[in-house]
Amino acid sequence: QVRLVESGGGLVQPGSSLTLSCTAPGVTLRYYAIGWFRRAPGKEREGVSCLSSHDDASSYLVDSVKGRFTISRDNAKNTVYLQMNNLKPEDTAVYYCAAPYRYGERCPPIEYNYWGQGTQVTVSA
């Protein structure tokens, strides 16, 4: 069973930056497509970004974060990052990383099967 762990959230002011990390102890994440999702208060879960397996190219980035967010991997650290710049109050949400059942997929996978517990991002003046 793949276990994903998110970290890096916090309370920041508008215009600030945060870097979220997604790790998976015992699993080599470079072989998996990894997605970032968020759920804002009172709203449905939203797909934010996706990074295909084996490289650092993103095949999906939701329009509202284009130009501000970047998804990447550091394979030496077995970590997928979501770099969040120029944060806005509407970015406030619990952020989750997710992976499909099969390795070697490109974004977007048909289904995300494994999820972390989430990390809270709050953007407020």
Side-chain angles (χ1 to χ4, degrees), residues 8 19 36 43 60 75 83 123:
T19 300
W36 281 100
K43 296 185 178 180
Y60 180 78
N75 292 326
Q83 176 65 48
V123 185

Side-chain angles (χ1 to χ4, degrees), residues 37-40 43-48 94 96 98 112 115:
F37 294 79
R38 65 186 181 185
R39 184 167 61 242
K43 296 185 178 180
E44 296 295 318
R45 186 180 64 200
E46 175 188 36
V48 177
V94 178
Y96 303 87
Y112 289 99
W115 298 81

Side-chain angles (χ1 to χ4, degrees), residues 25 30 119:
R30 66 181 298 177
T119 184

Side-chain angles (χ1 to χ4, degrees), residues 1 4 6 10 18-19 31 35 37-39 42 48-49 52 69 77 82 84 87 89 91 93 97 106 112 124:
Q1 184 82 1
L4 303 178
E6 305 94 339
L18 284 173
T19 300
Y31 300 135
F37 294 79
R38 65 186 181 185
R39 184 167 61 242
V48 177
S49 187
S52 297
F69 290 12
K77 296 182 178 180
L82 184 66
M84 310 164 66
L87 284 161
D91 295 317
C97 61
R106 292 283 177 174
Y112 289 99
S124 180

